[in-house]
Amino acid sequence: MSQTKNFNLPDLGEGLPDATIVEWFVKEGDVIKLDEPLVSMETAKAVVEVPSPFSGTVLKLSGAAGDIIPTGSVLASFALDPNLPQRADGQDTGHSHGHAAPAAAPTPPPLPTAAAPVAAEEAKPAAAERDDAGTVVGAMQSSNAVHAEQALAVGGVKAVPAVRATARKLGVDLSRVRATGTDGAVTMADVKQAAANGTAKLGAAPAPAAAAAYAAPAPAQVSAPVQSEARTPLSAAGKPMRTQPPGVVAKGQPEPLKGVRRNMARVMADAHSKVVPTTLNDDADIHAWLPGNDVTARLVRSIVVAAQKVPAMNAWFDGEALTRTLHAQVDIGIAVDTDDGLFVPALRNADMLDARGIREGVNRLREQVESRSIAASELSGYTISLSNFGMFAGRYATPVVVPPCVAIVGAGRARHQMTPVMGGVEAHKVIPLSVTFDHRAATGGEAARFLRAMMDDLALAS
């Protein structure tokens, strides 16, 4: 008689309470071997491939693509096969497994088609709070080794989990995408190009080669949006329609936040509840700039100069222990806006970089964020942050300080303004600056001196 075991969703290295199913690589009834790919999960910052902890038959999959699974909840159930390799009982896998069920236990019933997006609150494990171990991107702890993210061939198509997740979101059929990656793998650029051209929409007939090689079930089709009736100011009787009463939603349905946006909601709420924010605003006069100055590079340099003059702003603050840590190095978190939500990768050792090094570093971080290949070490641990929202619009802001940092700088959209000079007025170009700081850890004077130092450095010709 075969033994039945449950596999609970492990902490994927982020200290977060849940993750979202992107794609199952098996279906109920399939036989899977130890460490073969089981499912890809989306966390706050990455799409992670989770390997199977057992060899045997898949009895139950707890959820469908798009469902949110709490960390520690049952992800899948297996009937172990004694003839296939199994991990030794004493071997640490880094996973959390359920207790073995009796051999005579009935096979768990299949999940209903529409699984609940989030399990009930009581389903969450009663484990002690975990420290944030940072973001795991493209790596999953299994046994005593780390398996790097690789292009996995599913349905005759080679692609890493992050590319598969993006294809699903954009409604792109990977079997119809022209692959340009190594060993015939579909890249992120291939998917985005196909989405822009409309040449590989889901629902169209797959390419013959892919159709012949495809043995697994097709991924869930992206449901077409429900077409609402044409709006009209008149009722069926031809009379003016009444307005909707307060509280009635005219259109749209609520949907659970997932991945990056879900984490952003938690982080911002936590910051709002802990930090005592105060914001200072002023304009940096850049009239003296020579042609060719890089705005982002100059902003980063000015933050470095100001942080070195006022160390209290380049610090971490612990509100529980009432301690602060002043940093000798300046690691700047660069806010990167994406369709999935906000990412803040760290530009390390900014105080050691010249303008070219800053530009290359920022470009590298942006590219890695867009491809979802950003390294874990570059998504946390910055000492101060920068939001250059002015590249879109806006003059001043109250950017949010995220603990343990003490300060964040916001740069608005540059403009020309009339400036008094000796003998008259001139039109000078200025950059609006906003500095939000945690008033528990820094004084108003320190923040003002920091802002003044930034403005003085930005006023230099180069």
Side-chain angles (χ1 to χ4, degrees):
M1 298 295 287
S2 61
Q3 187 183 26
T4 301
K5 277 202 171 184
N6 292 332
F7 172 45
N8 298 337
L9 176 65
D11 182 350
L12 299 178
E14 303 205 21
L16 295 175
D18 50 49
T20 303
I21 297 173
V22 174
E23 181 181 13
W24 287 104
F25 300 127
V26 295
K27 64 181 184 297
E28 292 178 3
D30 283 355
V31 174
I32 189 171
K33 294 181 180 179
L34 179 70
D35 286 334
E36 285 185 343
L38 174 67
V39 63
S40 61
M41 305 290 296
E42 183 177 17
T43 64
K45 305 291 183 186
V47 178
V48 180
E49 184 183 293
V50 180
S52 173
F54 306 116
S55 294
T57 302
V58 179
L59 298 179
K60 180 182 177 183
L61 302 178
S62 299
D67 287 348
I68 299 170
I69 307 297
T71 299
S73 294
V74 176
L75 185 61
S77 299
F78 300 83
L80 304 192
D81 188 335
N83 299 318
L84 293 176
Q86 302 289 348
R87 185 168 286 115
D89 288 340
Q91 189 174 357
D92 183 14
T93 66
H95 295 153
S96 173
H97 310 304
H99 297 293
T107 300
L111 283 179
T113 359
V118 187
E121 197 67 25
E122 55 268 19
K124 294 184 180 178
E129 291 185 6
R130 298 174 296 274
D131 292 330
D132 190 348
T135 303
V136 172
V137 179
M140 171 66 198
Q141 185 70 36
S142 175
S143 73
N144 294 322
V146 174
H147 298 273
E149 185 181 63
Q150 297 177 351
L152 173 70
V154 177
V157 181
K158 252 187 176 182
V160 298
V163 170
R164 293 182 181 280
T166 300
R168 181 180 294 277
K169 290 177 182 177
L170 297 179
V172 171
D173 184 350
L174 285 176
S175 68
R176 300 177 60 82
V177 176
R178 182 175 176 274
T180 62
T182 308
D183 297 329
V186 177
T187 67
M188 191 71 73
D190 296 337
V191 170
K192 291 182 178 179
Q193 184 66 36
N197 296 340
T199 56
K201 292 183 179 178
L202 275 174
Y214 191 54
Q221 298 291 328
V222 175
S223 57
V226 179
Q227 297 295 327
S228 57
E229 296 181 2
R231 295 181 63 198
T232 171
L234 303 179
S235 68
K239 296 181 179 181
M241 293 279 282
R242 290 185 177 181
T243 58
Q244 292 278 2
V248 174
V249 179
K251 62 179 180 178
Q253 295 294 329
E255 60 178 10
L257 296 180
K258 298 174 183 177
V260 182
R261 289 187 181 276
R262 192 174 182 85
N263 183 58
M264 181 178 67
R266 291 193 182 105
V267 169
M268 292 299 144
D270 181 68
H272 181 72
S273 68
K274 292 179 178 177
V275 174
V276 181
T278 304
T279 304
L280 298 181
N281 307 114
D282 212 328
D283 296 322
D285 191 322
I286 60 172
H287 181 67
W289 278 19
L290 299 175
N293 269 286
D294 183 323
V295 175
T296 300
R298 289 297 303 269
L299 285 169
V300 167
R301 190 186 80 177
S302 69
I303 291 174
V304 168
V305 169
Q308 291 172 337
K309 291 185 177 179
V310 188
M313 299 287 279
N314 184 51
W316 289 345
F317 179 70
D318 185 336
E320 297 293 329
L322 294 180
T323 60
R324 71 171 181 172
T325 303
L326 304 182
H327 300 285
Q329 83 283 2
V330 183
D331 294 341
I332 302 178
I334 307 292
V336 178
D337 179 69
T338 73
D339 291 339
D340 291 327
L342 178 67
F343 288 77
V344 187
L347 181 65
R348 300 293 180 195
N349 301 309
D351 51 311
M352 299 178 66
L353 301 176
D354 57 12
R356 181 179 176 180
I358 292 171
R359 173 45 57 193
E360 290 176 350
V362 170
N363 288 345
R364 173 180 55 82
L365 293 175
R366 288 186 183 278
E367 289 169 5
Q368 290 178 347
V369 163
E370 289 174 0
S371 65
R372 299 297 288 270
S373 62
I374 188 77
S377 61
E378 296 191 276
L379 285 163
S380 60
Y382 43 86
T383 60
I384 191 170
S385 48
L386 167 65
S387 174
N388 189 9
F389 61 86
M391 62 188 297
F392 302 114
R395 184 172 296 184
Y396 305 106
T398 53
V400 178
V401 177
V402 176
C405 287
V406 169
I408 179 173
V409 175
R413 190 170 184 81
R415 72 184 192 280
H416 286 87
Q417 71 176 20
M418 300 309 294
T419 303
V421 296
M422 189 70 70
V425 293
E426 293 179 351
H428 284 198
K429 193 172 186 179
V430 299
I431 296 179
L433 298 176
S434 302
V435 177
T436 297
F437 64 100
D438 188 343
H439 218 324
R440 298 176 303 168
T443 68
E446 288 168 331
R449 288 192 293 275
F450 178 92
L451 181 55
R452 180 74 263 171
M454 280 192 66
M455 293 167 60
D456 289 345
D457 185 73
L458 287 169
L460 300 176
S462 59

